[in-house]
Every structure is written in structure tokens, then in C-alpha cells.
Amino acid sequence: LEKNKIAPPFLIYVGNLYPYKNLDLALKALKILEKEIPNLKFFVASARDVFHQRFSQLVKNYHLEEKVLMPGFVPTQDLVALFKQSSAFIFPSLSEGFGIPGCNAMAAGVPVIASNIPVFKEVYDNSVLYFDPKRQEDLAEKIKILLTYDKLRQNLIEKGQNQAAKYSWQKMAKETLEVYKEA
């Protein structure tokens, strides 16, 4: 936390910043919460590329430079520590193939606030707090609820860890091998 100059409460996102990831909605939600939760920060770990530059410009446009930390690449050991101290993982994506970052967050014991797209509902089931990815007010409300109700937070952490335990690279490799053998 010291190394990255951040302290709780903060939200975290890890992944690329392609437009379909819908991170601009997270900025709009932060703007809504700015007065209610003035010390809330948003930590965004992502590769420094053209999308990082675009997102950085959006942060400036919304005057959120003091609220959004964008260090670029973060080593795995630092990410683990950051995940464990974060208030929630935000996943506002409009489209995904699976949603591995959300599973990683759940496995690390971080509650997830995710868009209510079909793939997330299938993969995450009832282990996350869902919101409408087209409504920043809905995301802001879900963030506020999660930061307010510790019992809900603990419930989502437990459900998330159970849900993430259903998936593993080893299991996927075994199942894929079986498909190849059958073919």
C-alpha cells in the first residue's frame, strides 16, 4: 500500500482498458460518490498502452486525478496485497468471454461488483453484486451499499471464494484433454 501510495477504502480494477471494459462508467460513478465518500480511491492496474493513455485523459476530463491511481504494470506479489486491502473489485465490462479477473478477485477474498451481463451471471452466479452497465447511478449505489453493509460484504467474500474454487486451470486442462481424446 505504501509503495503505491494508497490506503483503504479503495476500489480495484486489474486488466486492459479496452473501450468495451466500460471503465468510463466507473469514473462517472466515482464522480457521483465524490462528496458522499470523499476518501474513496480507484486503483487501476493495466498495461501502459494507447488505451491507458485514453483512460488517463478521461480521468483528467472528470477531474479525478486525486482519486484514480494508474501505476501501469503491478507485480503479482504487490497485486495480491492490494487485492486483499481493497474494498471491492469493479468489473463494469459490457462484454467478456469468461471474466477471469473477477474470479481472481473472488479467490483473493475480495467482493466483486460486476455488470449484469449474461456471461458474468453464468460464471459468477450469485456470488457478486450486479449492476446495470449502462447506469453509473446503479454502480455508484452498489459501491455505497457494499461499503456500508459489512454483513453483505462478508457474505459476498464467502460466496465468491466458493464460486472461484469451482474453476481451475488444472481442471480445464483435464477437460480439454478429454475432448481431444474423444475427437
Side-chain angles (χ1 to χ4, degrees):
L1 297 179
E2 245 178 70
K3 183 178 179 181
N4 287 284
K5 298 177 178 79
I6 193 163
F10 67 94
L11 309 171
I12 192 167
Y13 171 81
V14 177
N16 64 53
L17 296 170
Y18 299 150
Y20 73 87
K21 295 293 187 173
N22 202 25
L23 269 295
D24 56 327
L25 185 97
L27 296 180
K28 292 173 185 174
L30 272 178
K31 200 69 180 163
I32 291 170
L33 294 170
E34 201 169 30
K35 288 186 174 59
E36 283 185 73
I37 313 170
N39 58 339
L40 182 63
K41 305 269 193 231
F42 188 30
F43 188 88
V44 179
S46 180
R48 291 182 187 264
D49 58 13
V50 68
F51 299 105
H52 188 275
Q53 293 168 3
R54 177 190 166 275
F55 188 71
S56 184
Q57 187 57 52
L58 283 173
V59 169
K60 289 176 186 170
N61 292 350
Y62 288 116
H63 307 288
L64 291 168
E65 298 93 335
E66 298 296 316
K67 302 253 177 223
V68 180
L69 291 91
M70 299 176 58
F73 173 78
V74 176
T76 303
Q77 65 272 18
D78 292 354
L79 268 181
V80 171
L82 288 161
F83 264 126
K84 290 183 181 291
Q85 294 296 316
S86 68
S87 300
F89 180 82
I90 304 297
F91 212 176
S93 193
L94 295 169
S95 172
E96 286 295 327
F98 186 83
I100 291 173
C103 287
N104 289 340
M106 289 187 281
V110 180
V112 175
I113 302 175
S115 56
N116 62 5
I117 59 175
V119 68
F120 285 168
K121 289 188 167 211
E122 180 182 341
V123 173
Y124 302 155
D125 197 25
N126 68 348
S127 61
V128 306
L129 197 56
Y130 292 105
F131 69 94
D132 181 342
K134 296 189 186 322
R135 295 189 53 244
Q136 63 260 18
E137 300 85 5
D138 192 22
L139 176 54
E141 184 63 27
K142 296 304 179 355
I143 292 168
K144 194 164 77 171
I145 286 169
L146 191 67
L147 293 176
T148 304
Y149 297 101
D150 196 51
K151 190 173 183 175
L152 171 64
R153 179 180 161 70
Q154 292 306 317
N155 187 8
L156 288 175
I157 289 170
E158 185 178 319
K159 284 181 177 180
Q161 288 180 315
N162 291 335
Q163 188 68 13
K166 293 178 182 179
Y167 304 105
S168 77
W169 289 110
Q170 186 174 17
K171 179 180 173 186
M172 183 198 65
K174 273 184 171 177
E175 290 174 2
T176 303
L177 182 60
E178 290 305 315
V179 170
Y180 284 138
K181 285 179 180 177
E182 287 177 26

